[in-house]
Amino acid sequence: MDLDPEDVFKDEEDDLDNEFFQQSESSKEYVVYLVDASPKMFNTTCAGNDQKDETHFHTAVSCVAGSLKTQIISRSYDEVAICFFNTREKKNLQDLNGVFVFNVAEREHLDRPTARLIKEFDCIEESFMREIGSQYGIVPGSRENSLYNALWVAQALLRKGSIKTADKRILLFTNEDDPFGSLQDAAKKDMTRTTLQRAKDAQDLGISIELLPLSRPDSEFNVSTFYADLIGLDGEDLAQFMPSASQKLEDMKDQLRKRMFTKRVVRRIEFQIANRLSIELNTYALIRPTVPGAITWLDSVTNHPLKTERSLICEDTGALIQEPPKLFQPYRNENVKFLPEEIAEIKRISPGKLRLLGFKPLSCLKDYYNLRPSTFVYPSDQVKFSSNDTEVCFLNFFASSLLLILYTFIF
Amino acid sequence: MARNKEKLVLLLDVGPSMHGVLSEVEKLCSMLVEKKLIFSKYDELGVVVFGTEESNNDLTTEVGGYQNITVLQDIKVVDGDLVDTLQKLPRGTVDGDFLDAIVVGMDMLIKKYKDLHKGKKRLCLITNAIHPIKDPFEGSKEDQVMTIAEQMAAQGMKIESIVVRGRFSRDANKGVMDENDHLLSIFSKKTHTRTVYVDTPTSLLGALKTRRVTPVTVFRGHLELSPQMKIKVWVYKKTQEEKFPTLKKYSEKAPASNKLATHQVKVSYEYKSVDGSSNSVIPPEQRIKGYRYGPQVVPISTAEWDAVKFKPEKGIKVLGFTDASKIKRHCYMKDVYLFIAEPGNTRATLAVSAIARAMKEMNAVAILRCVWRQGQQNVVVGVLTPNISQNDKIPDSFYFNVLPFAEDVREYQFPSFNSFPASWQPNDQQQKAADELVQMLDLAPSGKEALLPEFTPNPVLERFYRHLELKAKQPDAAVPPLDETLKKIIEPDPELVAENKSVFDALHRHFELKQNPKLKKSSRQWYQEKQSGSNAHVSGGQAVNSIENQPPVKIEKIGDLTPVQDFEAMMSQRDNPEWVEKAIKELREKILALLIHPDGEDKYQKAVECVAALRKGCIIEQEPGPYNDLMHRIRQYCEEKGIKSLPQLLASRDLTLISKSEAEDSNVTAEEARSFFVKMEPKPDV
């Protein structure tokens, strides 16, 4: 690993062409927002903004709308589909009952979000009852299973593209923790089994199913009734899965925002504790200034994009310079010239890794020892964990060293 | 620029007790001049050394006394010669008198500038101050220093003292040091002074601000607590990263005969249509900024931007106070600002001090909304922390750190270490080893903090300026390795590590790290590289007929002809991890076969080559087991058959057991490994 020491903590912030939110095509996601539209979603309310009660359906739809608006700016290569289930009307490729895929013109079902999608989705509630309608899809005495259908449709939508090049996710919004609760034993058992199998099939294809539950004011969403099996939670995970009782819109938005941020490792770096002992760490940029997205220059007459051509011109002769030029620093009445490689060599004072120099009490870390936002480090998967406490100390040390003088302590 | 010209006299102690650090003093002072040559080339500088055999200064000729003080360089505008002078400081022979040197320095400044340039005149004293100064003719030493300090203040001079202590002055007289420290502290009461004590060569390099940066206020105005209550404050930057200098591009197009050539390079940008239908350049005024919105791009003109721009009023408002523990340190976003009360404004000073102390007492911080200047397009929200002054002369102040907005925070979830299964948790011994490491590797034992950021120079910048100086003299000089003193900044202190060897050993014992599979892969790459690299070197010899000169052929078996090459090729076949296992197994068998049927006249030569290859391979793959097993078998075999030459041969090539230091999985200590073949002689049958 031969890094420019300055690059060790260099991240998007320094890289003008690639701000954090400007994701590249290679890290894109395919997301299906799967929203329960059962009458229960309309009947149940929770406190929204301004103390006004909002329906759960409104909460879910607002969340999706908010998420789309972030996505279009920050992750515009992501492809999304919006799909309702427990609907009166049906619209999907498989022609399954109770599932309605919402879309707008000039757009495939699973496609990049467009301004038009956002605009029309923003007023979906006005036309929802008229055009799509709400209706329980799982009723006693019927073989219909709208949840099963919904998962199937979502999986079909995500058939596009390879799992190697994109993450595929289904985000499921519902306030029904027991979808088959109204059914009798045999039917219930059967439907539960087929639905779980459907979910498992999707997961086997690399699709992750995530649940965003809404709790009713009187009873909390009980994830273990049914969904724990569907999303594959058990033991400790189950205890940790805080449905976080999304009673409020803000909570839900928060939840979704957190989910939409996929962890991105800025850099993998070796942390050398002693001569023969080092662990591999991932670094994450948890706090970085957000800037408006990168701009594209356009021709104001035609609105066509422009490309930039950079050329180096000798000021003395006006000749074009092709090869990468030498650099110079005026010094002692003359120009001292450097090759670009020489500059790189000067900066390379040690191999790019973190080196433990020692520890200091936290009180040595003064408030004014700060230059840049901090970087979070976390051991990468393959290492055996060392000590808890030490780890914490290491992190502290690390933070201090980072904050002190960037180059001084690290490498 | 000329207005800010600094006039500096360096007063350097070169007496025998200073010899140990003089090379660092040389580096520090020449760095000072080197930076002046770039950043403030009209500054003037003089150099006085004291503790020399000879005496050469105006005062000694005019009034007598002032012995052993030499003016190395009269005050002049900085130039390259000064660098050279400072790089070759004379080594003195007597213990100098720093007070005499101060007087000589003052005399030089007074003679040259009279009472002009107040505040721009500076003395910089570097000494260890471990030798007593001479008693004055009348009055006490204290009175004398007081008089000098008053004169200094009247002339508008500043003095900076760097006192080199610590292990350089271990056997010095404590009483004398205390007296000298007291005398130096008198200066700080009377004049503008900075006195720093350094105890390592590394911190000596950082003790002097080699680049003078004139402080500029970011904001002058009111700190508004409420519309009725405002405090006049000035805001400065407290920390700011010093960036690597941006070098200009150099053009070699101009003919050498052109003496006036600037050699500058202009970077020009042209904008052309992407579709390439027309190759015409779009003039800048015809361009418009487009912002991506999904697959579409939205053009927004500057005029439109101006219309929607957020234009807050300049001002700083306190939004409220909160408990200091609520603001996490890792939220600090940028470099740090310093808030001071308007200088000379007593009421403001009192108010700032009162609030700062109240905040300190209640462990509170203030949240501020800041717009530094009119027309600034954003608002900064940050945290104000109190800075209670330890010095009677300096009023209390605040530090200000910028906090993030919601958009700036990414809340990734990480499982806590506590929630990992017990098998991942450290056991008591591991915990103890780790705790000990933290305890022993203390960089701030008993209040003496090593690598204090204020005194720790950036090694990259140091290296650049030193190399610049070198290149000015030798244009083709190669970049030298990093200075030993600077290495202390980027590597753990070897002394500290050596002292705590037992702690590190304990750590190694308790933490057995598993090799990362990714690293293994790279070791295989190494094999491949080595192989392709060795193509060039192999000429003649026994190995020519191997696969080396052929296109890569899959080796599936280790042959008799070139077992070593076959083994290496097999190890580097990456399509299936089983190759490694197979290669090791086959080579092992080959070696055993070679032992039983020695091949040709050089007998065990080939076997030894194979052992060497196997050993290397097993270390790279971190698989000591098969190799060590084999070695035991070889030893046993030789003992049984009474073969002496082979063990000798192996021992002579250091082909012993793979010890723990080479492969973590091995349970052989380095000691055991070393004595592996030695042991076999005294007891012939094991």
Side-chain angles (χ1 to χ4, degrees):
Chain A
M1 211 170 40
D2 205 11
L3 298 172
D4 182 340
E6 275 195 80
D7 282 346
V8 171
F9 288 97
K10 188 172 157 183
D11 48 38
E12 308 73 22
E13 181 201 357
D14 308 310
D15 204 345
L16 289 174
D17 298 328
N18 180 25
E19 279 105 13
F20 183 85
F21 283 104
Q22 217 60 41
Q23 136 237 39
S24 70
E25 201 169 348
S26 61
S27 63
K28 68 182 168 187
E29 286 187 347
Y30 294 139
V31 181
V32 175
Y33 294 100
L34 201 55
V35 182
D36 189 351
S38 74
K40 195 171 173 182
M41 288 287 283
F42 288 89
N43 298 339
T44 328
T45 56
C46 56
N49 295 338
D50 318 324
Q51 303 306 314
K52 261 191 355 207
D53 281 357
E54 312 272 15
T55 64
H56 276 164
F57 184 74
H58 173 82
T59 307
V61 165
S62 316
C63 275
V64 174
S67 179
L68 287 177
K69 283 173 197 170
T70 322
Q71 233 169 353
I72 195 169
I73 290 172
S74 60
R75 313 184 45 92
S76 80
Y77 288 102
D78 283 1
E79 299 193 11
V80 301
I82 302 165
C83 179
F84 296 104
F85 65 103
N86 287 330
T87 54
R88 187 184 69 230
E89 305 297 322
K90 61 177 173 182
K91 186 178 148 215
N92 57 71
L93 284 176
Q94 295 102 312
D95 207 32
L96 295 168
N97 282 328
V99 182
F100 192 99
V101 178
F102 174 83
N103 202 4
V104 295
E106 294 171 30
R107 199 179 165 277
E108 288 177 38
H109 288 310
L110 183 77
D111 206 343
R112 297 171 65 184
T114 61
R116 189 165 182 166
L117 178 76
I118 289 174
K119 193 175 167 196
E120 293 189 18
F121 188 71
D122 262 349
C123 26
I124 182 110
E125 281 178 275
E126 292 166 23
S127 60
F128 190 84
M129 281 307 171
R130 192 173 64 245
E131 285 169 17
I132 303 173
S134 166
Q135 184 180 306
Y136 284 113
I138 302 166
V139 283
S142 145
R143 294 297 301 156
E144 283 301 332
N145 180 347
S146 53
L147 181 58
Y148 176 93
N149 290 351
L151 290 171
W152 193 358
V153 169
Q155 183 191 324
L157 286 166
L158 291 170
R159 196 171 290 153
K160 183 173 172 180
S162 155
I163 195 71
K164 283 187 191 125
T165 56
D167 282 341
K168 298 181 177 182
R169 314 166 77 179
I170 297 172
L171 295 171
L172 179 64
F173 295 78
T174 184
N175 62 354
E176 178 56 82
D177 55 9
D178 190 11
F180 306 110
S182 60
L183 303 184
Q184 293 307 311
D185 279 352
K188 181 175 179 177
K189 221 169 162 184
D190 185 46
M191 285 232 197
T192 306
R193 189 183 52 76
T194 49
T195 310
L196 290 179
Q197 188 55 46
R198 173 57 51 203
K200 192 173 174 302
D201 289 349
Q203 282 153 340
D204 287 347
L205 290 170
I207 297 169
S208 69
I209 302 175
E210 288 166 56
L211 178 69
L212 287 129
L214 292 132
S215 286
R216 280 162 286 154
D218 49 337
S219 66
E220 207 155 84
F221 192 99
N222 185 354
V223 71
S224 39
T225 312
F226 169 74
Y227 278 102
D229 291 335
L230 186 123
I231 55 178
L233 290 178
D234 53 5
E236 212 161 322
D237 287 341
L238 183 59
Q240 280 202 350
F241 183 85
M242 282 281 300
S244 57
S246 297
Q247 300 213 347
K248 289 207 299 279
L249 176 63
E250 288 310 312
D251 290 350
M252 182 108 210
K253 275 193 173 155
D254 224 39
Q255 276 269 320
L256 185 58
R257 198 164 53 85
K258 283 180 194 167
R259 302 265 177 113
M260 291 312 291
F261 274 129
T262 36
K263 276 182 211 167
R264 218 184 87 181
V265 179
V266 176
R267 172 156 285 124
R268 186 163 286 183
I269 191 163
E270 189 186 332
F271 177 32
Q272 192 174 356
I273 298 161
N275 272 338
R276 287 180 287 121
L277 188 66
S278 46
I279 52 179
E280 197 182 50
L281 300 174
N282 285 337
T283 65
Y284 299 88
L286 296 193
I287 297 184
R288 285 296 179 277
T290 303
V291 288
I295 56 155
T296 312
W297 284 107
L298 302 175
D299 180 343
S300 62
V301 178
T302 61
N303 272 354
H304 283 309
L306 300 176
K307 64 180 171 195
T308 314
E309 280 183 9
R310 175 173 172 269
S311 46
L312 303 175
I313 298 162
C314 169
E315 284 199 353
D316 299 315
T317 59
L320 268 179
I321 300 172
Q322 304 292 344
E323 68 283 4
K326 282 185 185 171
L327 303 163
F328 77 97
Q329 170 73 50
Y331 180 70
R332 286 192 177 203
N333 300 325
E334 59 177 312
N335 293 329
V336 181
K337 280 160 268 177
F338 292 92
L339 292 169
E341 305 85 73
E342 259 180 302
I343 297 295
E345 173 62 31
I346 290 174
K347 291 183 182 176
R348 196 181 308 121
I349 55 173
S350 79
K353 55 181 160 190
L354 293 179
R355 192 88 196 253
L356 174 68
L357 298 185
F359 301 89
K360 291 184 186 183
L362 265 178
S363 58
C364 288
L365 177 62
K366 302 281 187 261
D367 258 340
Y368 57 88
Y369 293 160
N370 204 67
L371 288 173
R372 297 185 186 193
S374 54
T375 298
F376 184 78
V377 300
Y378 196 83
S380 65
D381 301 336
Q382 289 94 345
V383 299
K384 182 176 182 228
F385 285 89
S386 51
S387 130
N388 220 343
D389 230 27
T390 346
E391 204 74 43
V392 175
C393 294
F394 288 162
L395 294 187
N396 282 339
F397 168 79
F398 170 76
S400 49
S401 50
L402 171 67
L403 295 166
L404 297 175
I405 295 177
L406 194 74
Y407 314 98
T408 318
F409 276 58
I410 307 168
F411 308 110
Chain B
M1 276 305 284
R3 211 160 43 88
N4 281 328
K5 278 191 296 185
E6 185 191 51
K7 292 96 178 62
L8 173 67
V9 176
L10 293 173
L11 310 169
L12 310 175
D13 188 345
V14 295
S17 59
M18 284 290 284
H19 287 187
V21 286
L22 274 187
S23 67
E24 260 66 46
V25 173
E26 285 169 346
K27 281 177 201 154
L28 174 66
C29 295
S30 49
M31 178 69 60
L32 176 81
V33 180
E34 282 164 30
K35 287 206 188 162
K36 278 186 185 295
L37 284 171
I38 297 170
F39 299 109
S40 35
K41 46 186 167 188
Y42 303 107
D43 279 5
E44 292 170 52
L45 185 93
V47 183
V48 175
V49 289
F50 59 102
T52 50
E53 180 83 57
E54 308 79 31
S55 311
N56 175 15
N57 61 73
D58 282 359
L59 287 177
T60 190
T61 36
E62 285 163 17
V63 298
Y66 299 101
Q67 297 294 315
N68 310 108
I69 298 175
T70 306
V71 176
L72 217 54
Q73 176 63 59
D74 278 322
I75 299 173
K76 68 166 179 178
V77 175
V78 287
D79 60 15
D81 296 343
L82 256 173
V83 180
D84 301 340
T85 309
L86 287 166
Q87 279 175 346
K88 292 190 293 277
L89 290 176
R91 296 320 191 239
T93 51
V94 289
D95 298 330
D97 181 326
F98 64 85
L99 197 61
D100 277 359
I102 291 176
V103 177
V104 169
M106 282 174 71
D107 175 62
M108 287 164 74
L109 285 170
I110 293 168
K111 283 198 177 117
K112 176 124 185 173
Y113 304 110
K114 310 290 182 294
D115 55 354
L116 298 170
H117 305 299
K118 285 210 169 127
K120 304 283 184 309
K121 288 175 286 189
R122 197 156 70 97
L123 293 164
C124 177
L125 171 72
I126 302 180
T127 179
N128 50 11
I130 56 170
H131 304 293
I133 59 167
K134 287 186 280 292
D135 281 315
F137 294 118
E138 53 191 54
S140 66
K141 286 180 183 176
E142 244 175 76
D143 296 339
Q144 194 190 9
V145 172
M146 200 74 88
T147 320
I148 295 171
E150 271 162 17
Q151 175 69 5
M152 211 181 261
Q155 294 284 337
M157 284 182 205
K158 300 176 191 169
I159 178 162
E160 181 168 7
S161 318
I162 297 169
V163 184
V164 187
R165 284 282 165 78
R167 57 193 163 110
F168 307 120
S169 53
R170 248 174 224 154
D171 34 86
N173 182 333
K174 178 109 185 7
V176 176
M177 286 202 286
D178 286 348
E179 184 195 43
N180 284 338
D181 290 352
H182 172 66
L183 293 175
L184 282 171
S185 73
I186 296 176
F187 283 110
S188 64
K189 291 203 183 96
K190 288 286 164 195
T191 62
H192 225 294
T193 330
R194 178 172 174 261
T195 307
V196 294
Y197 290 86
V198 295
D199 54 5
T200 60
T202 313
S203 48
L204 176 58
L205 287 182
L208 188 60
K209 291 274 168 287
T210 43
R211 184 178 166 194
R212 201 158 42 87
V213 183
T214 329
V216 184
T217 51
V218 180
F219 174 90
R220 290 183 195 196
H222 290 114
L223 171 65
E224 195 179 315
L225 284 104
S226 78
Q228 285 80 39
M229 190 185 171
K230 298 171 182 175
I231 308 171
K232 285 219 157 160
V233 292
W234 287 13
V235 181
Y236 291 94
K237 272 273 171 78
K238 173 69 184 171
T239 50
Q240 189 159 29
E241 184 182 340
E242 178 150 341
K243 293 258 165 53
F244 195 86
T246 318
L247 275 65
K248 290 185 190 135
K249 295 185 171 61
Y250 185 84
S251 163
E252 289 171 315
K253 297 278 180 198
S257 56
N258 183 354
K259 292 279 179 267
L260 296 171
T262 61
H263 297 287
Q264 305 257 4
V265 174
K266 191 175 160 233
V267 183
S268 96
Y269 293 95
E270 287 183 339
Y271 295 87
K272 289 181 179 166
S273 189
V274 168
D275 52 28
S277 54
S278 66
N279 209 21
S280 62
V281 175
I282 310 291
E285 62 277 10
Q286 202 185 313
R287 282 184 296 145
I288 187 166
K289 282 181 183 170
Y291 291 83
R292 287 195 177 283
Y293 198 68
Q296 289 139 333
V297 180
V298 184
I300 301 177
S301 69
T302 324
E304 279 173 295
W305 259 135
D306 282 343
V308 299
K309 251 174 200 164
F310 178 50
K311 290 172 191 139
E313 278 294 304
K314 172 187 169 180
I316 297 181
K317 291 192 171 103
V318 174
L319 300 180
F321 295 89
T322 182
D323 196 78
S325 62
K326 293 225 171 97
I327 306 295
K328 297 281 183 268
R329 173 70 213 239
H330 64 253
C331 288
Y332 292 5
M333 290 272 283
K334 288 188 179 160
D335 29 24
V336 187
Y337 298 88
L338 175 71
F339 278 54
I340 58 164
E342 186 182 56
N345 183 336
T346 323
R347 282 154 52 101
T349 312
L350 269 177
V352 165
S353 189
I355 293 172
R357 279 162 198 250
M359 280 160 70
K360 185 85 188 172
E361 250 169 56
M362 299 168 76
N363 196 27
V365 294
I367 305 297
L368 255 58
R369 160 207 188 277
C370 305
V371 180
W372 307 119
R373 49 178 202 279
Q374 202 62 45
Q376 179 179 320
Q377 280 157 22
N378 61 351
V379 168
V380 178
V381 172
V383 57
L384 196 68
T385 45
N387 172 34
I388 308 299
S389 168
Q390 304 298 327
N391 184 325
D392 288 346
K393 284 181 70 189
I394 303 167
D396 298 332
S397 55
F398 295 110
Y399 294 124
F400 176 78
N401 269 292
V402 179
L403 292 176
F405 288 111
E407 286 82 353
D408 307 333
V409 183
R410 278 150 223 148
E411 292 178 69
Y412 302 149
Q413 312 282 311
F414 293 93
S416 156
F417 292 138
N418 288 327
S419 64
F420 284 132
S423 59
W424 288 15
Q425 300 286 356
N427 60 33
D428 288 349
Q429 286 144 338
Q430 289 178 323
Q431 184 66 59
K432 195 161 159 274
D435 287 350
E436 241 161 47
L437 178 78
V438 176
Q439 250 167 34
M440 299 317 292
L441 236 60
D442 191 355
L443 291 179
S446 60
K448 279 197 346 198
E449 189 179 347
L451 293 173
L452 193 70
E454 274 90 340
F455 297 149
T456 311
N458 179 339
V460 173
L461 292 179
E462 286 278 318
R463 196 181 192 197
F464 171 73
Y465 290 112
R466 285 185 198 178
H467 189 51
L468 179 68
E469 164 67 21
L470 187 66
K471 274 206 106 168
K473 289 176 187 154
Q474 293 168 251
D476 53 353
V479 183
L482 193 66
D483 191 285
E484 279 304 316
T485 325
L486 295 176
K487 264 212 175 114
K488 297 245 167 66
I489 302 171
I490 58 163
E491 279 170 17
D493 185 357
E495 273 181 42
L496 196 62
V497 173
E499 276 169 30
N500 296 303
K501 191 169 174 303
S502 60
V503 177
F504 278 106
D505 288 346
L507 201 68
H508 284 304
R509 255 198 325 280
H510 293 300
F511 293 96
E512 195 184 326
L513 284 195
K514 296 255 156 64
Q515 187 87 9
N516 187 328
K518 287 234 172 64
L519 293 178
K520 278 204 170 185
K521 208 181 280 168
S522 67
S523 72
R524 238 163 264 168
Q525 270 165 354
W526 178 85
Y527 252 125
Q528 287 200 325
E529 273 160 33
K530 184 189 164 266
Q531 256 209 319
S532 54
S534 64
N535 282 349
H537 305 298
V538 178
S539 57
Q542 65 206 75
V544 203
N545 51 357
S546 74
I547 53 149
E548 302 218 8
N549 297 323
Q550 295 162 15
V553 175
K554 198 157 224 170
I555 302 293
E556 297 189 293
K557 197 172 157 24
I558 291 179
D560 286 332
L561 217 47
T562 58
V564 172
Q565 285 73 22
D566 291 359
F567 171 70
E568 288 186 0
M570 208 152 155
M571 292 287 273
S572 65
Q573 271 160 209
R574 298 211 277 146
D575 49 352
N576 190 340
E578 275 163 36
W579 286 123
V580 173
E581 208 179 306
K582 187 166 155 60
I584 291 175
K585 186 163 161 274
E586 289 204 20
L587 189 67
R588 240 179 78 120
E589 280 162 13
K590 189 67 60 191
I591 292 167
L592 288 173
L594 282 167
L595 285 184
I596 300 162
H597 310 288
D599 178 58
E601 56 197 283
D602 46 21
K603 266 189 138 179
Y604 296 114
Q605 194 55 44
K606 201 161 185 176
V608 170
E609 291 307 329
C610 291
V611 170
L614 183 67
R615 187 168 203 278
K616 200 186 232 168
C618 286
I619 290 172
I620 288 167
E621 293 298 332
Q622 292 285 299
E623 301 269 22
Y627 173 86
N628 284 351
D629 275 353
L630 176 75
M631 293 314 280
H632 282 286
R633 280 183 68 174
I634 293 179
R635 189 168 80 167
Q636 201 182 352
Y637 178 82
C638 291
E639 280 165 347
E640 279 165 17
K641 303 267 166 182
I643 303 172
K644 289 239 168 62
S645 59
L646 179 63
Q648 276 166 8
L649 207 54
L650 289 171
S652 72
R653 294 198 41 186
D654 268 338
L655 294 171
T656 172
L657 294 178
I658 295 176
S659 70
K660 200 163 178 58
S661 60
E662 291 165 287
E664 281 291 340
D665 287 350
S666 165
N667 47 14
V668 178
T669 64
E671 186 55 38
E672 278 175 65
R674 221 172 301 124
S675 56
F676 183 69
F677 287 113
V678 184
K679 260 198 212 143
M680 65 179 281
E681 265 126 348
K683 34 176 189 171
D685 42 7
V686 174

